[in-house]
Amino acid sequence: TSLALAIIMGGIQGQNLPDALPYVMGGILSFALTSYILLEAPDAYMAASNIIKNHAYPFTYYTFESLTRIFLVFLHNCVAYAIVMAILMRLTVPHWSIIFGLIVVYMNSFVWGALSSMVASRFRDMRFLLPFMSQIVFFVTPVFWYPHNMKGWREHLVTFNPFYGLLEIVRSPIMGHAAPEQAWILALSSLGVGAVLWLLCFNAFRGKIAFWV
């Protein structure tokens, strides 16, 4: 997928393959983390419905379990990324901000993923709608295209897209440089809003989740 997108989008944007492939591959690698909110999280509670009904484990356990699995897959894919970059002679030492980037993405994925799990448990159709929305988010987020190519009103696809912030604070450090300030603002704003919403909704509906699933 990364190679195909790099060939096509590199040609459209006037870039050679060795320049386009690290950007696209890093984008897909990073988006796999943020897409947890729409792809994996909606099914977290429903997949564990029998356990939830019969055991009093904290609901946060199911979110942590599925989210940690995604992060382990990400670390595995980082090895493949490093191998490809070494072959292209584009391997760089990750920027130190990758540590904080992964922490912020993990916390974002937790709070928004927990909300997604609750919504999908209450409204079963959301289990199928949210994963479908991830395809739309993939194309409107700068995973394989460059933000500076957007002009006019299309710039808002970057300016107000929290997925761009979560994506970029991981991709940029992987490629060896710091993420732009705008990406951090989007990511931290998303975390703040998500944390407040999660605390409010979880305190209000935690007692009903076992009946929803």
Side-chain angles (χ1 to χ4, degrees), residues 191-206:
L191 176 58
V193 174
V196 171
L197 288 177
W198 174 67
L199 288 173
L200 292 175
C201 293
F202 191 69
N203 287 331
F205 302 113
R206 63 183 301 175

Side-chain angles (χ1 to χ4, degrees), residues 50-128:
N50 289 332
I51 301 177
I52 292 175
K53 292 175 181 177
N54 294 286
H55 300 279
Y57 297 148
F59 290 106
T60 53
Y61 164 79
Y62 306 104
T63 304
F64 276 124
E65 180 186 36
S66 58
L67 180 56
T68 301
R69 183 176 66 250
I70 297 300
F71 266 72
L72 291 176
V73 172
F74 167 79
L75 295 176
H76 176 270
N77 291 337
C78 283
V79 177
Y81 174 84
I83 293 173
V84 174
M85 293 305 103
I87 294 173
L88 294 175
M89 293 187 293
R90 297 298 178 94
L91 184 62
T92 59
V93 178
H95 193 267
W96 59 266
S97 61
I98 184 66
I99 299 174
F100 298 102
L102 289 175
I103 292 173
V104 171
V105 170
Y106 192 98
M107 295 174 66
N108 259 286
S109 298
F110 172 80
V111 294
W112 286 107
L115 281 170
S116 177
S117 300
M118 291 177 60
V119 172
S121 298
R122 178 62 181 87
F123 305 101
R124 302 296 179 88
D125 290 344
M126 299 301 289
R127 294 176 61 194
F128 309 102

Side-chain angles (χ1 to χ4, degrees), residues 7-44:
I7 292 173
I8 301 301
M9 297 308 298
I12 293 174
Q13 300 178 109
Q15 289 187 309
N16 56 42
L17 185 59
D19 291 331
L21 185 56
Y23 182 84
V24 174
M25 193 171 183
I28 292 178
L29 189 66
S30 304
F31 186 78
L33 286 179
T34 60
S35 63
Y36 162 83
I37 300 170
L38 298 176
L39 282 177
E40 301 287 338
D43 203 43

Side-chain angles (χ1 to χ4, degrees), residues 168-206:
E168 201 60 38
I169 63 175
V170 174
R171 174 170 57 189
S172 289
I174 285 178
M175 297 178 66
H177 52 84
E181 181 181 355
Q182 180 188 10
W184 283 104
I185 292 174
L186 286 169
L188 293 174
S189 299
S190 173
L191 176 58
V193 174
V196 171
L197 288 177
W198 174 67
L199 288 173
L200 292 175
C201 293
F202 191 69
N203 287 331
F205 302 113
R206 63 183 301 175

